Amino acid sequence: MEWTDHIRPDDLQQLIINWEEQLPLKGTSQERDYNPVVKLFNPLGIGTWLLTECDNDGLAFGLSDTGYPELGYISLEEVFAVKLPGGLHIEQDRYWTAKHTLSEYAAQARSAGAIRA
């Protein structure tokens, strides 16, 4: 199963649009602070990801928490390749909607020691 099968098509499209808009702005004062588009989670324990953008190859940017919160790039292919007991896998929270920008979630996560979304 492809990593793209795990993210709703409309959300994947928005992640790619954000990536393309952000690319020429990276490293400048014009860089955008998007609201996360997608929340991924481990249904059995530690592991939460809030993603704002993604390229066509599955390189995503966002806030991840696999024991401590950090901003950075992740491989969606690697995230969705994780095999959990009982045939489960990392999932998209289809009922979640961002209420803050990524930097606000990151500040809250640093203060709390974990993503609270």
Side-chain angles (χ1 to χ4, degrees):
M1 185 178 294
E2 296 266 339
W3 65 268
T4 55
D5 296 336
H6 296 278
I7 299 175
R8 289 185 297 202
D10 289 348
D11 294 335
L12 180 57
Q13 182 179 10
Q14 188 60 56
L15 288 170
I16 292 170
I17 288 168
N18 289 356
W19 178 275
E20 291 171 353
E21 288 177 359
Q22 188 80 289
L23 196 57
L25 305 175
K26 288 281 186 186
T28 73
S29 62
Q30 301 301 312
E31 214 171 317
R32 298 204 172 121
D33 186 15
Y34 294 110
N35 281 8
V37 176
V38 170
K39 176 185 176 185
L40 304 177
F41 69 98
N42 174 348
L44 298 178
I46 294 175
T48 303
W49 297 264
L50 303 181
L51 307 177
T52 57
E53 54 210 76
C54 172
D55 73 3
N56 288 311
D57 296 322
L59 180 63
F61 183 79
L63 179 64
S64 64
D65 184 353
T66 56
Y68 56 91
E70 62 181 331
L71 286 169
Y73 293 91
I74 63 162
S75 165
L76 292 177
E77 186 174 332
E78 289 178 13
V79 168
F80 289 116
V82 172
K83 295 182 188 320
L84 300 171
L88 296 174
H89 52 81
I90 304 301
E91 298 180 22
Q92 179 180 1
D93 185 339
R94 296 175 182 265
Y95 301 101
W96 181 80
T97 303
K99 295 182 175 90
H100 309 287
T101 64
L102 186 63
S103 65
E104 290 174 291
Y105 279 112
Q108 291 170 5
R110 281 190 290 275
S111 177
I115 294 175
R116 303 284 185 232

